[in-house]
Amino acid sequence: MAALVDATVEQMATLAELTDMLVGLERTISSLQAARDGVLAVGSRLALQVADEAEHPDFGDLTTRTVAAEMAAALRVSDRTVQARMSEAVWRVERFPLVWAAQGAGRISAAHARAICDAAEYLEDAADRDAYSAEMVPFAESESPNRVSRHGRRVAERFQSRSVDERHKDAREKRSVWVKDVGDGMSQLGLLGPAALVHGAFERLTQMAQGVQEQGEAQAPSHEPESPEREDVDQRTVAQLRADLALDLLLTGAPAGHDTPDGLLAAICGSVSVTVPVTTLMGHGTTPAELDGRTPIDAGTAKALAGAASGWDRILTHPITGALLAVDRYRPGSDLKRHLRARDQRCRFPACGYAARDCDIDHHHDAARGGPTVARNLGHLCRRHHVLKHHSPWVVEVLGDGAYAWTSPTGRVYVDRPQPQNTVTFVEEHAPAPF
């Protein structure tokens, strides 16, 4: 049976129209994305212009943060995300204007533009970048982004004035680690580092995983028939074993290349904050446990963590609204800090997701000016937004019940309320209405 052989003329005409429509929409989307980059780039230039005219000693860093926060609050996204987009937009618009113009005209997509620019990241001469772009844009008009990326790296090498060693030295400055929650109690741990080290680490994990599998097979009774269902053989795949071994090493291993003679780093243990409704902990509830106030985890993991914990904060919530009422603990500690951490769960700047345990506790009405050290006048702010509050035109006002109104430099007001508690609430059942 051949696909579409039995399609009518009208059906084929409809398919052709849909394809043309899709192409047109993609071109429009690419043009709008290029326009957005232009707006972000102008926003960054505005911040730098203000800082330059005022001779700011930080060369515009705080001004750029303030502009990013203004835009981000209006978009209801993290200002860190907007500032990163501003930086990328400036880099693309100013360093590769021919590529940006081609995207704005709908000749290439945003993915094609990104592939072209990334492949020539280290071309320092503007004339070389223009010559490279002039050659790559026509190629990208008829090829996929992955092919553009491979071809772009080859073409860029012809214009390179710096050696691979020099470029690698710069690239190493971007090494980092990040976490991304993906749901169902799972998260991704990403790492960017030197290729030789990353591939070496991956190969070591692979060999360890294969060693675990071989050890399990060797220890299994030889008289039993070969079957993938045998319970005495480790059924984990190599990929699963790599993940389990990597986490085992990261949580229990010592950083031999960086530790002090007295083992200062090896003594550090990982920690997380878990909220578990008591009914779930007892096995009677369906509300999942929550990790660091941001992602659900399974009950089995929550119970294991609860059993190993030296102490727990007890969070008392309203049975109907779920609002935080009080926090106490079975062991002594700082009541106010625990109350604030339980209430806020995260940085209290609009759209920021930094966990409360990684934030500063800030007096909204400055303590030096008579602000009381009480829950209604305190809130968690990450260091970035703590600095922004005190050194930019952003203003915060206490509204009560843990809510704060933030006024941006342009006068827009954003209300940030405490994140809902991970708790069980009850709904009163009403008697059926009489007939």
Side-chain angles (χ1 to χ4, degrees):
M1 180 178 66
L4 294 183
V5 168
D6 299 324
T8 64
V9 174
E10 291 78 9
Q11 289 171 329
M12 293 302 294
T14 299
L15 177 58
E17 291 175 0
L18 290 173
T19 302
D20 290 340
M21 186 182 300
L22 183 60
V23 170
L25 287 171
E26 287 294 332
R27 286 176 177 169
T28 300
I29 291 171
S30 295
S31 298
L32 290 173
Q33 288 175 323
R36 181 182 62 186
D37 283 345
V39 171
L40 291 170
V42 171
S44 179
R45 290 174 184 170
L46 174 64
L48 295 178
Q49 179 185 7
V50 171
D52 183 59
E53 292 176 353
E55 299 182 350
H56 290 180
D58 65 350
F59 302 103
D61 178 64
L62 187 57
T63 310
T64 302
R65 291 188 191 184
T66 306
V67 171
E70 177 75 45
M71 293 179 170
L75 294 172
R76 300 186 301 281
V77 298
S78 166
D79 59 312
R80 291 180 176 86
T81 298
V82 171
Q83 188 171 352
R85 290 177 182 173
M86 289 169 62
S87 178
E88 292 172 2
V90 169
W91 181 77
R92 188 173 297 117
V93 171
E94 295 185 352
R95 290 177 64 88
F96 297 92
L98 297 180
V99 178
W100 178 58
Q103 182 187 343
R107 295 171 58 192
I108 60 175
S109 70
H112 288 90
R114 191 178 305 111
I116 295 173
C117 296
D118 288 349
E121 180 178 1
Y122 293 104
L123 292 183
E124 298 299 334
D125 185 76
D128 287 343
R129 291 196 299 270
D130 286 347
Y132 162 82
S133 300
E135 181 174 341
M136 287 302 303
V137 168
F139 179 84
E141 290 182 285
S142 59
E143 293 291 350
S144 62
N146 64 325
R147 293 184 179 182
V148 169
S149 181
R150 288 195 296 268
H151 185 63
R153 287 193 291 269
R154 298 191 190 104
V155 174
E157 284 297 328
R158 300 205 311 262
F159 297 94
Q160 290 287 3
S161 59
R162 306 174 67 213
S163 68
V164 173
D165 290 344
E166 292 175 315
R167 281 146 44 203
H168 176 67
K169 184 178 179 181
D170 289 342
R172 283 177 62 95
E173 298 301 316
K174 297 181 179 179
R175 60 191 186 276
S176 63
V177 176
W178 62 92
V179 172
K180 178 182 178 182
D181 297 322
V182 296
D184 295 330
M186 302 291 284
S187 298
Q188 293 177 347
L189 178 67
L191 183 148
L192 175 66
L197 299 182
V198 172
H199 280 276
F202 185 81
E203 177 61 23
R204 186 183 184 213
L205 288 172
T206 300
Q207 292 184 27
M208 286 182 172
Q210 293 171 344
V212 170
Q213 287 185 330
E214 291 171 0
Q215 183 182 30
E217 292 174 357
Q219 293 177 349
S222 57
H223 59 81
E224 293 188 7
E226 292 293 333
S227 170
E229 303 300 327
R230 284 184 355 203
E231 295 182 358
D232 51 9
V233 177
D234 197 325
Q235 300 294 323
R236 288 177 292 178
T237 65
V238 171
Q240 292 169 340
L241 282 166
R242 281 197 202 103
D244 295 344
L245 288 165
L247 294 173
D248 191 2
L249 289 169
L250 286 171
L251 289 171
T252 64
H258 294 79
D259 212 351
T260 59
D262 57 353
L264 174 66
L265 300 182
I268 296 175
C269 298
S271 63
V272 293
S273 173
V274 179
T275 306
V276 194
V278 66
T279 52
T280 300
L281 204 57
M282 296 170 60
H284 303 307
T286 58
T287 302
E290 202 169 70
L291 183 69
D292 286 337
R294 56 195 303 172
T295 186
I297 61 173
D298 62 286
T301 299
K303 290 177 181 178
L305 292 171
S310 59
W312 277 84
D313 289 333
R314 181 172 57 185
I315 301 174
L316 306 179
T317 59
H318 193 283
I320 305 299
T321 65
L324 178 69
L325 297 178
V327 175
D328 65 6
R329 189 177 174 90
Y330 303 120
R331 297 172 184 264
S334 174
D335 294 341
L336 182 57
K337 288 183 178 179
R338 289 197 301 273
H339 179 91
L340 292 171
R341 192 160 52 244
R343 182 197 70 187
D344 293 343
Q345 302 182 59
R346 50 163 174 72
C347 171
R348 296 302 308 280
F349 187 82
C352 184
Y354 259 47
R357 58 182 169 80
D358 298 325
C359 297
D360 303 330
I361 296 179
D362 173 66
H363 284 75
H364 297 311
H365 180 198
D366 197 344
R369 299 180 179 178
T373 303
V374 294
R376 68 176 183 275
N377 190 46
L378 297 172
H380 284 88
L381 292 178
C382 68
R383 185 57 53 88
R384 174 188 179 93
H385 294 127
H386 198 169
V387 171
L388 196 72
K389 170 181 174 287
H390 289 288
H391 300 284
S392 81
W394 280 90
V395 177
V396 61
E397 177 187 359
V398 179
L399 299 182
D401 294 328
Y404 303 107
W406 290 83
T407 302
S408 78
T410 61
R412 292 180 173 86
V413 178
Y414 303 94
V415 177
D416 186 80
R417 294 181 173 83
Q419 182 171 312
Q421 296 294 321
N422 181 39
T423 186
V424 177
T425 59
F426 300 90
V427 179
E428 182 178 356
E429 292 187 2
H430 298 284
F435 293 102

